[in-house]
Amino acid sequence: MLINVKNMQRILFNPRASAVFLFGIALFFTAIFSTIYPILTIILSLATVVLLLFVLKMELSYYLLLLLLHASSIMFISYIHRKTHLITLGEIFLLMVCLLWCFSRTINFASPYSKTSCDVPIFLFVSLSILSFLWSEDYIPWTYQFLRLSCGLGAFFITIVIVKNHRILNTVIWIIIAMGVLNSIISFVSIYTYPDYTYTKLINSKYVSLVVIFNDTAVVGKRGHAFAHPLTTAYGLNFALMLSFGKCMTLKKYKKLALGVLMFLMLTAHLTTLSKTPLIALIAGIIFFFYASKPIRKIFFISGAVLIVVVIISFVLANITDLENSTRYTYNQISGYNEHSSTTSRMNWWITSITKSLEFYGFGVGLGGMPKHLIPSTTPHSHNVYINAFGDLGFIGLGLLLLIYFLAGKSYVTALRQCKNEYYRHILLSYISGFVIMLIFILTDYDYTATIMWWYMGLGFAIARLATEATPEYRG
């Protein structure tokens, strides 16, 4: 009897046997319902095939996830207790990918999670977030924010478990660069179609709607953007540009020239967004890359001068049809000359967040509790990840978050020093430059639950692992 049980376990948990078994169940139910509900059967059959494909080839679902993460203007809007909550289609699909991985891991198809240096502080950070429910003023914002934090950590986790070999990483990098080019084109389209506004409901019910928003004049104004806010568009372009620098160092002749042209296109599109901190962070990241790269360091000052000239040319080309207003807008936003500028608003939100957290004895107001105290009431967060963490989770939360960033950065730098492969040194250095950009960017935007931020940190651990494992002969 014991032998039979062992044989059954061996059969059930064999990957190929499990796949055949699941596919057989799908065909069985398809045959039953095909005569009753033919259209529904076709839809369910296609969905089943796609899900099975995603289970067998998890990287395919991850590639699709990368596309959806760049489209945060495609979102679900839920109406709970007369309050509106937003969650993007990419975040919903991310949760599905995590569940698919769990199932794939159960049948021994997916690789296990590789431990990172951030696991313990992340666990403590999540535990503190859950514990903050005890002093949170409203359970609905707490639940919503915890869901967003779960999405972010899911992106971190799923990136590490899926990006596990050179081929997948190479494909991921090219998808990020391709999305940067596509978002650049859409940014120009948004500028020249302004103020045409698109608000389309794909799904509409009493409790939830799936909407697509483009050229929302009340939110973005005449600023370049893809299917995301101008700041998020610029943030994604920063990553695409920095990884392009790393790739450009590994290419030769005409391929290097072609990628250089695409990089100029992305930089020009970046400047249509009129986003201040992303641009400052991008310049800082590029300078860091120039200084840390030995071939470029020899002509560091010349490279810096060329960068400034290229940025000026890109700004003129990006806003040539409305150069005067774009320059005035940028100056007023940076200087705070206009009392309604984003700089002035952000400073008010930061002061409020710090004050409220101290009123709660330095423990914060609880996960997701800060927007209630910000003016106007539609403000989603404090527009500073560090202050947002302090406002919600106090000194302990901020300390844990800083520890996570420190340990992540330390892991990337350690992997760079240990890397013996020239190709991966360029890729990893370009990634670390993007990490520097992220740390600067989040000084004036996002909150600590931002999915794209956690995703990028997970990508860093995946690159670092492959960089230390790569032999010197590997050429990408």
Side-chain angles (χ1 to χ4, degrees):
M1 182 65 182
L2 183 61
I3 297 175
N4 292 334
V5 171
K6 289 183 177 180
N7 289 336
M8 287 294 295
Q9 289 177 339
R10 191 179 297 111
I11 293 172
L12 289 174
F13 290 97
N14 180 278
R16 293 180 178 82
S18 300
V20 171
F21 178 71
L22 291 172
F23 193 68
I25 291 176
L27 289 177
F28 175 74
F29 282 106
T30 300
I32 292 176
F33 288 104
S34 59
T35 56
I36 307 173
Y37 304 106
I39 297 178
L40 180 61
T41 301
I42 293 173
I43 295 173
L44 291 176
S45 299
L46 292 174
T48 303
V49 171
V50 171
L51 286 176
L52 283 172
L53 188 62
F54 283 167
V55 169
L56 301 177
K57 289 284 186 180
M58 284 297 301
E59 61 267 28
L60 297 180
S61 63
Y62 187 74
Y63 300 154
L64 178 57
L65 176 63
L66 289 179
L67 304 183
L68 293 177
L69 287 179
H70 284 81
S72 56
S73 289
I74 304 177
M75 66 185 75
F76 286 95
I77 302 178
S78 62
Y79 313 97
I80 302 174
H81 289 244
R82 298 182 181 179
K83 293 183 179 180
T84 301
H85 299 285
L86 310 176
I87 187 166
T88 67
L89 179 61
E91 290 169 335
I92 293 292
F93 185 70
L94 170 61
L95 296 176
M96 291 177 57
V97 173
C98 291
L99 291 174
L100 287 173
W101 178 86
C102 292
F103 177 75
S104 184
R105 181 64 190 153
T106 302
I107 62 174
N108 203 27
F109 238 106
S111 57
Y113 173 71
S114 301
K115 295 180 180 179
T116 72
S117 59
C118 294
D119 290 348
V120 173
I122 286 176
F123 173 78
L124 294 175
F125 189 79
V126 173
S127 299
L128 177 63
S129 301
I130 296 173
L131 188 64
S132 70
F133 181 80
L134 297 176
W135 63 85
S136 181
E137 298 176 314
D138 193 341
Y139 75 93
I140 294 179
W142 182 93
T143 304
Y144 172 69
Q145 199 71 350
F146 188 76
L147 176 61
R148 291 188 58 84
L149 179 60
S150 300
C151 288
L153 294 174
F156 176 86
F157 167 82
I158 208 69
T159 298
I160 293 173
V161 297
I162 291 182
V163 183
K164 59 184 185 298
N165 60 49
H166 305 308
R167 176 183 58 82
I168 295 176
L169 175 62
N170 193 49
T171 305
V172 167
I173 291 173
W174 281 117
I175 288 176
I176 294 170
I177 295 173
M179 287 304 298
V181 174
L182 177 60
N183 287 340
S184 299
I185 295 171
I186 299 174
S187 293
F188 288 114
V189 171
S190 67
I191 286 288
Y192 290 103
T193 58
Y194 179 87
D196 295 341
Y197 175 52
T198 300
Y199 183 93
T200 304
K201 287 189 176 182
L202 301 179
I203 298 175
N204 188 21
S205 71
K206 183 178 179 181
Y207 299 104
V208 66
S209 299
L210 175 61
V211 301
V212 179
I213 301 173
F214 187 67
N215 264 350
D216 187 349
T217 55
V219 176
V220 303
K222 192 177 182 180
R223 299 166 63 187
H225 61 93
F227 285 100
H229 190 278
L231 287 167
T232 302
T233 301
Y235 189 51
L237 288 172
N238 281 349
F239 293 152
L241 277 164
M242 291 317 307
L243 290 173
S244 296
F245 271 104
K247 273 292 183 183
C248 200
M249 297 288 289
T250 65
L251 299 177
K252 296 180 179 180
K253 297 181 180 179
Y254 298 110
K255 293 180 180 179
K256 187 187 292 286
L257 178 61
L259 184 56
V261 172
L262 294 178
M263 290 168 65
F264 183 76
L265 171 68
M266 287 189 280
L267 176 60
T268 305
H270 188 293
L271 292 168
T272 67
T273 65
L274 300 179
S275 302
K276 308 172 294 299
T277 306
L279 177 60
I280 294 171
L282 175 63
I283 294 173
I286 294 175
I287 291 174
F288 176 87
F289 181 83
F290 285 171
Y291 183 78
S293 180
K294 290 182 179 180
I296 303 177
R297 191 189 304 171
K298 299 174 182 177
I299 52 172
F300 177 75
F301 291 104
I302 296 175
S303 301
V306 171
L307 173 63
I308 293 173
V309 172
V310 171
V311 169
I312 293 173
I313 294 173
S314 293
F315 183 82
V316 173
L317 291 176
N319 303 282
I320 195 167
T321 59
D322 200 12
L323 185 59
E324 183 179 353
N325 288 333
S326 297
T327 305
R328 185 186 301 113
Y329 173 86
T330 303
Y331 171 76
N332 289 342
Q333 291 291 309
I334 293 176
S335 64
Y337 177 78
N338 185 336
E339 64 178 359
H340 299 296
S341 70
S342 60
T343 303
T344 305
S345 299
R346 280 171 168 77
M347 291 180 67
N348 292 330
W349 296 330
W350 299 342
I351 293 171
T352 301
S353 299
I354 294 171
T355 303
K356 286 295 178 182
S357 182
L358 293 175
E359 288 179 5
F360 279 72
Y361 307 101
F363 286 100
V365 298
L367 185 71
M370 188 49 63
K372 179 180 179 180
H373 304 284
L374 302 178
I375 300 174
S377 58
T378 54
T379 305
H381 47 74
S382 306
H383 287 73
N384 181 309
V385 167
Y386 311 105
I387 293 178
N388 200 166
F390 179 71
D392 276 4
L393 301 174
F395 287 106
I396 300 175
L398 176 59
L400 287 171
L401 191 66
L402 291 175
L403 180 61
I404 291 169
Y405 295 157
F406 171 76
L407 293 176
K410 183 181 178 182
S411 298
Y412 307 150
V413 173
T414 300
L416 181 64
R417 290 173 177 171
Q418 295 175 351
C419 180
K420 299 178 181 179
N421 181 277
E422 185 180 0
Y423 170 81
Y424 266 106
R425 285 188 64 83
H426 293 308
I427 296 299
L428 189 52
L429 179 57
S430 66
Y431 171 86
I432 294 173
S433 302
F435 186 70
V436 171
I437 289 174
M438 187 194 85
L439 295 179
I440 298 173
F441 177 90
I442 60 179
L443 283 167
T444 61
D445 239 293
Y446 282 7
D447 70 299
Y448 54 88
T449 65
T451 300
I452 197 169
M453 185 178 68
W454 289 99
W455 159 77
Y456 191 70
M457 287 198 294
L459 181 62
F461 280 105
I463 296 175
R465 183 182 69 247
L466 292 174
T468 53
E469 295 173 355
T471 59
E473 295 78 21
Y474 183 73
R475 294 289 180 270

